[in-house]
Amino acid sequence: MHIGSALEKLGDEVVDHRFRGLPPDADGRTVRDLAAERRNLHRGGFTTPVLTLSAEAVEHNLRSMERFCSRHGLAFAPHGKTSMAPQLFRRQLDHGAWGITVAVPHQARVARAYGVPRIFLANEVVDEAALAWLARELDRDPGFRCVVYADSVHGVRLMDAALTAAGARRPLEVVVELGAAGARSGVRTVARAAEVADAVTAAPALRLTGVAGYEGELMDADASRVRGWMRELVSLAVEFDKAGRFQQTEEVIVSAGGSAWFDVVAEVFQELPALSRPVCRLLRSGAYISHDDGRYRAVTPFNRIPQEGSLLPAFRLWTQVISRPEPDLALVNAGKRDVAYDLGLPEVQVIREPGGRMRSGAGLTVSRLADQHAFVRGPEEKLPQVGDWVGLGMSHPCTIFEKWPLIPLVAGDGTVTDYIRTVF
């Protein structure tokens, strides 16, 4: 399906009780019709808690990464599992992305349902049903490309057997995954990488097209360790090329890049010499599109190289004070069901009083979460009152998006301009 027509169908979905935070009086309207009303977030009937995305921050982040990749000669396949939002996939492609990265076959199916033309599936796929679907999808659409990992000879044989049994007519593109001791998946030695590469080359249903990995799981990662590992990855591509292992492919893909070290990835990719085939230096950073107010704010490479760009946190979760049981405690109506908490607690950013007055949340902290409550502590005179709205910033977008199936996209003046659908 063409990505435009598939996205149009998202607008046909009917708003009802399934979507938290949306105005109860909007039930029965389509998402498209509700967006056209351009309601104000605070005066338009929205209920708390409600997660929002800043329209300006999302656009800023898209442009910032597009410029970074262009300056450094990088192709870009942002990790879609961060958001699993087809509308954001479309905007990333519109801003020059090569394709979308996913982690599992289900996510690949979502991306394909919304017309994504190139998918980097960053895992070894050995599920027979998933491989049969991939075979059908590749045969159905000559323009579709899918690249998957391999890190074992056994896995390569399973992939080849499943694709052959499914009657695949086009080979599936494979990159050998390089890992590191104590890290995640991926081969640990050059010798094992060569064995896997040769197994791929010998498999009729597969095509060796490059090397890849993920630097974010290195033990005690710092710039020096990431730089050293990246040079191992680049060296592996060079050695494979010298050995003639890329003769079956039209281009060589060399890929890495999470959201913490993409500056080092770009630096070392510049050291990659010319190979016998054109090289696609493929970056896969995904958290940038929403950024956050915790982990990624602390580690973004733009902190180290501010002249390269900047990212803005796009999330804000609006909650409401429902209890003041102790002098230094306010309870708001959002908890573990609503926020990410695996890599840091939310931050209190702003308080909106019933009359519309806004004030800073400085001096207030979220001390812990229950299922449906957050514990906000601070000096009694600074705490919000029952009924006040409290805007929270959150850490780790990967586990925020998955909790909210329909997210208002809000302009700076509070106007809701669209609704972002997630598909997990």
Side-chain angles (χ1 to χ4, degrees):
M1 180 180 290
H2 186 271
I3 191 168
S5 59
L7 290 175
E8 280 293 312
K9 289 188 175 182
L10 287 177
D12 296 334
E13 193 160 18
V14 174
V15 173
D16 57 25
H17 60 276
R18 293 170 297 162
F19 304 119
R20 290 182 288 165
L22 299 194
D25 67 0
D27 280 9
R29 291 173 172 81
T30 66
V31 172
R32 182 182 300 104
D33 289 342
L34 181 57
E37 293 179 7
R38 298 179 70 83
R39 297 194 184 199
N40 181 274
L41 179 70
H42 299 292
R43 302 188 300 274
F46 292 86
T47 64
T48 57
V50 57
L51 180 68
T52 65
L53 275 170
S54 162
E56 291 86 356
V58 168
E59 180 64 20
H60 171 91
N61 296 342
L62 286 163
R63 291 182 182 276
S64 194
M65 283 300 289
E66 181 182 20
R67 289 191 294 265
F68 178 84
C69 290
S70 178
R71 278 195 300 272
H72 293 279
L74 302 173
F76 191 34
H79 215 314
K81 61 91 176 173
T82 301
S83 69
M84 288 305 295
Q87 291 146 290
L88 298 184
F89 293 171
R90 171 61 182 266
R91 293 187 66 178
Q92 289 168 317
L93 294 171
D94 287 347
H95 280 270
W98 173 94
I100 298 295
T101 296
V102 299
V104 293
H106 161 71
Q107 294 168 357
R109 290 186 62 202
V110 172
R112 282 303 288 164
Y114 291 93
V116 174
R118 300 187 188 95
I119 292 173
F120 190 100
L121 205 170
N123 264 317
E124 185 171 78
V125 181
V126 294
D127 182 290
E128 291 183 4
L131 288 163
W133 170 79
L134 266 176
R136 292 192 299 271
E137 198 68 9
L138 286 164
D139 291 345
R140 182 186 66 81
D141 182 357
F144 171 49
R145 289 182 68 184
C146 183
V147 180
V148 304
Y149 276 168
D151 73 352
S152 69
V153 172
H154 184 60
V156 168
R157 290 171 179 164
L158 290 174
M159 281 194 282
D160 184 54
L163 291 166
T164 300
R169 294 191 297 271
R170 288 179 59 198
L172 178 63
E173 295 182 72
V174 175
V175 291
V176 174
E177 182 191 8
L178 178 68
R184 217 157 59 183
S185 53
V187 296
R188 297 318 201 231
T189 66
V190 173
R192 181 57 58 87
E195 291 175 6
V196 175
D198 290 341
V200 173
T201 301
L206 305 175
R207 175 182 296 149
L208 182 67
T209 195
V211 298
Y214 174 52
E215 74 289 345
E217 289 292 331
L218 296 177
M219 297 292 289
D220 301 317
D222 59 19
S224 177
R225 287 184 174 86
V226 171
R227 191 174 290 110
W229 181 87
M230 281 295 305
R231 285 174 175 152
E232 291 180 20
L233 182 68
V234 165
S235 176
L236 186 62
V238 172
E239 292 303 312
F240 278 9
D241 192 56
K242 288 180 179 177
R245 291 192 172 100
F246 294 137
Q247 294 181 2
Q248 296 178 346
T249 188
E250 294 181 0
E251 71 171 358
V252 176
I253 292 175
V254 184
S255 180
S259 296
W261 298 105
F262 57 76
D263 57 332
V264 179
V265 172
E267 171 195 329
V268 179
F269 273 165
Q270 296 303 313
E271 300 174 5
L272 183 60
L275 302 181
S276 63
R277 301 288 189 273
V279 177
C280 174
R281 297 167 173 83
L282 188 63
L283 184 70
R284 306 195 308 274
S285 312
Y288 80 100
I289 193 165
S290 63
H291 201 43
D292 72 356
D293 282 293
R295 175 180 176 84
Y296 289 110
R297 180 186 63 192
V299 303
T300 175
F302 292 147
N303 288 342
R304 298 186 289 271
I305 46 170
Q307 68 274 17
E308 286 275 23
S310 63
L311 297 175
L312 299 175
F315 281 122
R316 178 162 287 173
L317 180 71
W318 284 101
T319 66
Q320 196 166 23
V321 180
I322 56 173
S323 179
R324 282 286 308 271
E326 299 170 10
D328 66 344
L329 174 63
L331 293 173
V332 299
N333 61 345
K336 294 179 181 178
R337 306 297 184 194
D338 312 293
V339 307
Y341 55 92
D342 57 323
L343 292 176
L345 292 174
E347 297 180 356
V348 181
Q349 294 183 330
V350 66
I351 296 165
R352 185 180 189 275
E353 298 173 356
R357 175 177 174 263
M358 295 277 205
R359 62 184 175 92
S360 170
L364 305 176
T365 60
V366 174
S367 61
R368 68 184 179 97
L369 298 174
D371 281 354
Q372 306 286 178
H373 299 85
F375 291 67
V376 178
R377 292 194 178 273
E380 183 174 8
E381 66 275 11
K382 291 188 176 182
L383 280 174
Q385 299 299 314
V386 171
D388 289 354
W389 281 37
V390 177
L392 301 177
M394 291 174 293
S395 179
H396 199 197
C398 299
T399 51
I400 299 171
F401 276 108
E402 68 183 24
K403 297 176 183 291
W404 292 86
L406 199 61
I407 306 170
L409 186 70
V410 184
D413 65 356
T415 302
V416 178
T417 62
D418 202 354
Y419 296 83
I420 302 300
R421 186 68 159 100
T422 62
V423 187
F424 279 91

